[in-house]
Amino acid sequence: VQLQASGGGLVQAGGSLRLSCAASGSLISVNNMAWYRQAPGGHRELVARITSVGVTTYADSVKGRFTISRDNAKSTVYLQMYSLKPEDTAVYYCKADIPVDSIRLRPYWGHGTQVTVSS
């Protein structure tokens, strides 16, 4: 299974970006999908998560500005980011939980995409 993320870049404060992450390979379904980020010198933190049925969770710092969504037919998760701030600057990673069998899930990570917000 591979996760391919795209959509990062450089944007001015107040701008918007849309990240995409597609899962491919030997998979029948995808359980939870999520976006994490890691700023320079910081730890990796959860930005947003979406379950297979569309239930979403957001970090407090992005509520009201970011929207996570998914297209199950394409095994793809999106992160629409509005009103970006310099503190949103980080490498963004997608994560997908793939069923191994009827009980176990295995996490897979994308390679990361850089988001830089200038002031």
Side-chain angles (χ1 to χ4, degrees):
V1 174
Q2 292 183 330
L3 298 182
Q4 183 67 45
S6 61
L10 173 64
V11 64
Q12 289 187 332
S16 61
L17 282 174
R18 188 191 194 214
L19 306 182
S20 300
C21 178
S24 62
S26 300
L27 55 89
I28 298 176
S29 65
V30 182
N31 200 293
N32 295 335
M33 302 186 83
W35 289 96
Y36 287 72
R37 67 186 181 187
Q38 186 167 11
H43 61 277
R44 192 173 295 189
E45 62 177 6
L46 175 67
V47 176
R49 177 189 293 121
I50 185 167
T51 70
S52 59
V53 295
V55 177
T56 58
T57 305
Y58 295 93
D60 288 343
S61 59
V62 306
K63 283 181 181 177
R65 299 189 299 121
F66 290 10
T67 300
I68 189 171
S69 61
R70 64 189 288 170
D71 183 334
N72 288 334
K74 297 180 179 180
S75 298
T76 299
V77 62
Y78 306 95
L79 186 68
Q80 180 67 57
M81 305 183 290
Y82 297 104
S83 302
L84 282 161
K85 304 176 181 179
E87 51 262 44
D88 294 318
T89 296
V91 177
Y92 284 69
Y93 298 89
C94 59
K95 175 178 175 280
D97 294 325
I98 309 296
V100 176
D101 52 34
S102 60
I103 299 174
R104 296 176 297 168
L105 298 173
R106 179 174 295 168
Y108 290 87
W109 291 88
H111 55 79
T113 185
Q114 177 70 46
V115 172
T116 302
V117 184
S118 62
S119 57

